[in-house]
């Protein structure tokens, strides 16, 4: 959506040794807990703010070969998945910031 391609696809690599994860037509089927984390985004350079995200979630999607998979994401991966999933719906982290947006 942000880059003019009307496809529901995102990729994520959080640097945990699992490499790039690909999500095509993702659906979040469950979310648990709550954690406030400071987020930034390449779409809003130089800004950050605190966002409330789930501590864990379950997401279903297709891989690049069309194979369905389900992933339980916890911690930083859950935050990242939610952040990228929001982009598919035209939502930026600044739309969810609790308190002030700060310059970094």
């Amino acid at each position: 959506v942000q880059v003019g391609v009307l496809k529901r696809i995102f990729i994520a690599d959080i640097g945990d040794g699992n490499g790039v994860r690909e999500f095509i037509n993702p659906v979040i089927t469950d979310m648990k807990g709550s954690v406030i984390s400071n987020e930034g985004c390449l779409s809003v350079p130089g800004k950050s703010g605190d966002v409330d995200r789930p501590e864990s979630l379950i997401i279903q999607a297709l891989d690049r070969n069309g194979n369905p998979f389900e992933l339980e994401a916890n911690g930083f991966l859950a935050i990242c998945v939610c952040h990228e999933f929001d982009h598919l719906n035209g939502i930026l982290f600044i739309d969810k910031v609790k308190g002030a947006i700060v310059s970094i």
Side-chain angles (χ1 to χ4, degrees):
V1 172
Q2 284 184 271
V3 295
V5 178
L6 299 179
K7 306 282 185 193
R8 293 188 60 80
I9 299 169
F10 69 85
I11 61 170
D13 183 348
I14 63 167
D16 63 354
N18 287 308
V20 175
R21 294 176 171 97
E22 304 162 338
F23 300 83
I24 301 170
N25 293 333
V27 176
I28 295 175
T29 60
D30 191 32
M31 295 186 284
K32 293 181 181 161
S34 177
V35 63
I36 303 288
S37 65
N38 189 267
E39 292 186 25
C41 183
L42 295 174
S43 299
V44 189
K47 304 292 182 189
S48 72
D50 292 336
V51 179
D52 188 4
R53 300 283 189 192
E55 285 183 294
S56 66
L57 62 84
I58 296 175
I59 186 166
Q60 296 175 340
L62 302 174
D63 67 17
R64 70 171 50 213
N65 298 311
N67 300 311
F69 69 92
E70 182 174 275
L71 174 71
E72 181 176 347
N74 299 290
F76 185 59
L77 180 57
I79 291 167
C80 179
V81 165
C82 281
H83 178 106
E84 297 304 329
F85 186 85
D86 278 351
H87 281 295
L88 299 181
N89 296 315
I91 299 168
L92 298 175
F93 85 95
I94 58 174
D95 299 320
K96 294 187 166 192
V97 166
K98 307 285 184 192
I101 297 171
V102 296
S103 295
I104 50 175

